[in-house]
Amino acid sequence: MDKVLARGSGSAVARSRPRTAVLSMLAGVAMVATTVAVATGASAGTTLGASAAEKGRYFGTAVAANKLSDATYVGILNREFNMVTPENEMKWDATEPSQGQFNYANADRIVSHAQANGMRVRGHALAWHSQQPGWAQNLSGTALRQAMVNHITQVATHYKGKIYAWDVVNEAFADSGGGRRDSNLQRTGNDWIEVAFRTARAADPAAKLCYNDYNTDNWTWEKTQAVYNMVKDFKARGVPIDCVGLQSHFNSGSPYPGNYRTTLQNFAALGVDVQITELDIEGSGTTQATTYGNVVKDCLAVSRCTGITVWGIRDTDSWRASGTPLLFDGNGNKKPAYTAVLDTLNAGGTTPPPTTPTSTPPTSNPPTTPPPSGNGCTASFTTNQWQGGFVTTVRVTAGAAPLNGWAVALTLPAGASLVNTWNAQPSGTSGGLTFRNVAYNGQVGAGGSTEFGFQGVGTAPSGTPTCTAG
Ligand code: XIL
């Protein structure tokens, strides 16, 4: 599906590029239009997408639905890019403006445009503290957790099979201090990120699932280390994660770091793909072009750096337009930065195996609930029921002795069935069900507790579940 054409023709076309550029400058606008027409059917090596594809990678851009009627914009989009990310149209406020009422109109337009033009789609973003609809901003606790799970399930199901990679969780870490960012989602419990990933996997098993953030480019920064440790922990515990997105919005306050390649390599060495997801670099001229070239070189040097997306097409399309951070000027002309990117892609590079990273092991917090009396365990649950479906969160609490394994039995009402479980292993999908601990949460200290959850269609269970130790 990539717009890869004949290999080997790239260098011949590349050699003709300076001549084309000179002619365009001499002949003016009419010649530019001709150049575009020629490039549309051109060979690999003459556009960002084709050149990246020759290196086994994609080159994408953020797309705004309301610009799909702008002929210059669409001309560049269709010519240069083979991956698109909806800039705002798949965010929570856009897709679920009222709770339980989904609006996919603008996102669908972008996906249809991509499919009709041989481009793939990065989905952005399922769970994020920002750009939430007002109703979600006003939720907290279990109600918010369940609304998040339902949102992810609905949106990822709507786009099932059409998304190359989802930014499942966006920007969940604090800029300093090495911890999580405070947010309504974070206050639902530290496990909200892994619940989001498990839910997304259940809804669209074929999509790559990414964690995406900014200020995670410099390997020495606390935030980079914090995200790295989370990904390492997820891989160790089997939480489904396939990729890490580095937004890479660079400017004087957050410059391109000299150790960027090290960061890409170290994430990749955890067994995930790395994607540069929202690249823009404020500046102009040669300085900007050199930095763009360095970013591309770094990606090409890391075998699991699978692609680069710039956050808009023309400088005037950018969310930071005053910084002129993109590859095309306001008139749609190629900037020096464009040429640097294309030339770097065409020059290629090596893709050595990732280096072994160094890091400190992740830490975990012990449960804090005071011990109840008696051995064994107890279980209780809370449920969010909506028309046709539900999410149930179950708390397992150890008695006076520690648990080494547990099982919770409960019964789904007639007609109900299980669709998705996190933090436990279910047996069966309807009627009497048993949920057993998974590897990492079987051991619960005396009086401690752990939670698991499941989603179903139909009516949620009621009554008190039975908990058995061992
Ligand atoms: C930005 C969009 O570009 C703007 O149009 C919008 O007003 C705000 O969001 N990190 C992200 C992106 O993950 O979704 C943001 O996009 C830029 C920062």
Side-chain angles (χ1 to χ4, degrees), residues 20 43 76 79 113 147 155 165 177-178 224 227 233 258 286 296 345 411:
T20 309
S43 304
I76 301 171
R79 187 186 73 215
H113 184 93
V155 176
T224 311
V227 172
D233 171 53
T286 312
V296 173
L345 287 170
T411 303

Side-chain angles (χ1 to χ4, degrees), residues 125-150:
L126 292 171
W128 188 22
H129 68 275
S130 186
Q131 292 182 263
Q132 292 182 2
W135 63 265
Q137 292 175 35
N138 291 329
L139 291 183
S140 62
T142 307
L144 176 60
R145 173 65 66 88
Q146 292 166 353
M148 177 193 84
V149 167
N150 185 50

Side-chain angles (χ1 to χ4, degrees), residues 87-88 91 124 128 131 170-171 212 247 249 278 311 319:
E87 186 172 356
N88 290 296
K91 293 171 183 176
H124 173 81
W128 188 22
Q131 292 182 263
N170 198 29
E171 302 183 350
N212 191 54
Q247 292 184 10
H249 296 292
E278 303 182 15
W311 204 239
W319 70 312

Side-chain angles (χ1 to χ4, degrees), residues 73-94:
Y73 181 90
V74 173
I76 301 171
L77 171 63
N78 292 356
R79 187 186 73 215
E80 297 287 345
F81 298 97
N82 54 17
M83 183 75 75
V84 303
T85 305
E87 186 172 356
N88 290 296
E89 292 77 355
M90 285 186 179
K91 293 171 183 176
W92 200 348
D93 59 352

